[in-house]
Amino acid sequence: MTTYDSYVGGAQVPSSRYVYTVTTSAVLADVFEALTLKRRLEQGAVDPADAADFVVGRCAMADEDIIAAATEAAAAAAPGWAATPLAVRLSLAAGIRKRLEEKHAEFVDVLIAEGTPRALAEWQVAGLLETFGETTIGWCATQMEHQIRLGSRILRLRRVPDGVVAINPPQNAPAASALFGITALLAGNAVVVRAPRSAPLGVMYAMRELVAPALDELGAPPGTLNVLCSRPSPAIRNWLESPLVNSVFYTGSVETGFKLEQDAAKHGTKVILELAGNDCVVVWRDADLDLATEALTECFFGSGQICMVPNQVLVHPAVADELLDRLQVAAGQIRPGPPEEPGVLLSPVLRSEKFFAFIRDALGKGAEIVHGGRRLETDGSPSDTGMFLEPTVLRVDGIERGREIDAVRFETFFPLLPIIVCEPGSDESILDAMLAHVLANPYGLRNSLWATDESVVEQFVNRITNCGLLKVNDSHIGFLPFLPTHGGPGRTGGAFGEANYPMLRTSRLQGISVAAGIRPRAAVFDAYTQFLTGRQANAVHGG
């Protein structure tokens, strides 16, 4: 059985308590038996050797002393790593990418064991390869340092690391989110990563097998990377109260993130938030409906428990019925199953009460179910006790009605897609209403458009500014080099949210002037004299 202890200051720190990862397939076979086995293992009531067929690994639980030690180790390592030349730090990305390529199959298997369907695990790895790719890292590098010569001065503008960055990935896609967050290392920060108790194995694997060896290869100081599994509250409390932590990179719910932002301000700690999404897709009258339908079904991937999937759709009334017909067929082809099976895109959902509350609210406010709305067994058959939720499409007539429906107003995090059919009118009035609705969205992760009319595309691109990423006629969730994968304003990123490159967000600008032969008094007063001389010259020449 794979065991990962806490990793602090370059050393493994064992524990008397471990969190066990029971395969999702075992949970699907018998949820009660699998979760009981997990609980008994964690209580020490079962010999791990007797559960080898159901358990793929375990991770040590860190107590408050280990959490504090990780913070101290990062603070000790931070100055040495920050002093490492930028070119060396940037080469860390190539080292991580190399290991991702070499170990991608093994990494995918770990993600599958924790419940990620194979297709989505492979999608996550592909996104990470772009995150650590030359194009993306190369652009970030151009933002890190600039230098010009001005007379006898060399002027530099550079980004310097915050210092110690604490990273809290979410319970969904924690491994990929942790790898995204540790790009803060490239800026010269030392990091502490907390793996969530619900899915720690992928985070531990990524940090220990992919990141730590790449750091060791570069001779990074011990403590540059620290990773542990713990409950969130003691870790976050330590990060906020410790004067050693400079920044917290938090991914999670809007409510917790906003409170963290307020608490951090009291302690003078910088917070980078990656919160919810309520992404909107606009389908215009001339859209390629086959391709648009394919993009909209991305809403159901991972049972909707991915922050960057489509959450609501605005469709031109001229093509609404045809789009809904296509979506009804496409949604029925999204199937559940064991995560290791190719083609499976739905994940189990253990707590589904809110899903049905969203549906009841929508129906009570005039929406109609086009497809779905039931629980499913692993084989896809309807069931009152199934662990999957059927991909669900709602029809909502009118933007005003849509604004009243909770499934439109909030991120649902379920396989639930409301299609808002805009009120009839002129194309100009319909487009204005669509744009106003998108701009009123308090979330700010991604938005996208399906249209071929160049004037419609131009208006959409010029007027939609409230998101971190905007896509036109493209996969809504697909990763691209150079462009941001995460981030945005509002409920997505908090008061200071924007397109998120952790390498830039965990650093700050600093100006430097290195001079030779400059007389200080002349440097202070000559500039004004030169200004007056220039004005007089302009006056003489009629300037």
Side-chain angles (χ1 to χ4, degrees), residues 120 123 172 276-281 295-313 345 411-417 445-448 475-478 485:
L120 298 184
W123 165 70
N172 68 305
N278 188 9
D279 295 7
C280 190
V281 181
L296 294 179
T297 58
E298 293 170 359
C299 165
F300 308 126
F301 292 3
S303 294
Q305 298 186 18
I306 302 171
C307 62
M308 60 185 68
V309 298
N311 274 262
Q312 53 176 304
V313 180
L345 290 170
E411 180 190 51
T412 63
F413 227 54
F414 293 115
L416 176 62
L417 186 62
L445 188 54
R446 296 184 176 196
N447 291 312
S448 61
S475 161
H476 191 85
I477 68 170
T485 59

Side-chain angles (χ1 to χ4, degrees), residues 353-365:
E353 300 87 354
K354 199 169 182 180
F355 170 75
F356 293 102
F358 276 123
I359 292 177
R360 287 193 300 271
D361 172 81
L363 296 179
K365 294 172 180 174

